[in-house]
Amino acid sequence: MSLTYHKCNLKDIDGLVKISKETFIDTFEKDNNPEDFKNYIDNAFSKAQLEKELLNSNCLFYFAYEAHELVGYFKLNVDDAQNEQFETNSVELERIYITKEHQNKHFGKQLLNQIISIVKTMNVSFLWLGVWEENKAAIRFYERHGFNKFGLHPYYIGKDKQTDLLMRLNFI
């Protein structure tokens, strides 16, 4: 089934907090120190933090729906909202998540295709993301869709320093 998309605004804050926490917990809680993880979740996905990001015109959140059911979301960062800056124009895919009960339905591919379609209208050289080096399934997913590794950067879950692989999809 085809997904539909909704660009989030402040009216969506409660749903954004809920899906952000839920999908991140489902994906990573088992692999992290409980105290560090709780602190990270409480800060990164707090209502205040997500409101701040929604108010930043360079942070773009989208909900994905199957029929009228929320099945996932993604976040794009442009210009100075990106977590890394490059010499050429780029867009960062900071988050892409499907709810646990809707995984393995090829929704990730649909979300990624929508993301690529949106980013191509921005006339940038490439789309990039950071993916935890231990998340082998996600790395394979991005590689299957044309992303290539090009660097590393640190990512902190509380005090735990982890390493993200930087991957990019070139448009030019």
Side-chain angles (χ1 to χ4, degrees):
M1 177 170 238
S2 257
L3 298 178
T4 57
Y5 302 91
H6 164 72
K7 187 176 178 188
C8 299
N9 58 52
L10 282 177
K11 293 176 186 172
D12 301 306
I13 189 66
D14 292 331
L16 184 59
V17 168
K18 182 181 183 305
I19 196 169
S20 297
K21 287 182 177 182
E22 174 186 309
T23 55
F24 200 83
I25 289 167
D26 287 344
T27 306
F28 297 114
E29 183 177 39
K30 66 189 178 309
D31 299 315
N32 286 279
N33 170 286
E35 184 179 336
D36 282 338
F37 194 79
K38 182 183 181 326
N39 289 335
Y40 179 82
I41 293 292
D42 289 348
N43 290 312
F45 303 120
S46 70
K47 188 172 184 176
Q49 178 59 36
L50 291 176
E51 279 181 354
K52 179 180 167 188
E53 292 175 22
L54 277 171
L55 290 170
N56 181 342
S57 62
N58 291 327
C59 296
L60 310 171
F61 288 90
Y62 289 83
F63 283 159
Y65 295 91
E66 178 188 36
H68 296 289
E69 186 176 0
L70 181 60
V71 301
Y73 82 106
F74 60 89
K75 179 186 180 201
L76 300 173
N77 294 325
V78 299
D79 298 329
D80 62 354
Q82 295 179 77
N83 287 296
E84 297 281 346
Q85 298 297 315
F86 303 101
E87 290 182 22
T88 55
N89 247 352
S90 63
V91 172
E92 176 186 15
L93 171 55
E94 184 177 4
R95 297 184 193 136
I96 177 173
Y97 289 97
I98 303 293
T99 59
K100 189 176 181 176
E101 58 273 11
H102 291 96
Q103 292 180 3
N104 301 313
K105 296 181 179 181
H106 304 285
F107 289 157
K109 180 179 180 178
Q110 288 185 52
L111 259 72
L112 188 57
N113 287 337
Q114 178 69 17
I115 290 162
I116 291 167
S117 177
I118 291 168
V119 173
K120 280 184 174 180
T121 68
M122 297 177 182
N123 296 317
V124 297
S125 299
F126 63 95
L127 171 65
W128 72 275
L129 55 89
V131 59
W132 186 32
E133 65 184 348
E134 300 299 324
N135 193 345
K136 305 301 184 194
I139 294 166
R140 286 190 303 274
F141 172 80
Y142 294 121
E143 287 175 336
R144 277 194 315 271
H145 292 89
F147 284 78
N148 296 298
K149 299 173 194 162
F150 73 100
L152 305 169
H153 75 185
Y155 189 86
Y156 288 87
I157 300 289
K159 297 175 194 159
D160 183 20
K161 181 181 178 184
Q162 300 177 359
T163 301
D164 273 3
L165 300 177
L166 300 183
M167 300 183 76
R168 69 191 272 168
L169 178 65
N170 293 317
F171 296 126
I172 297 175

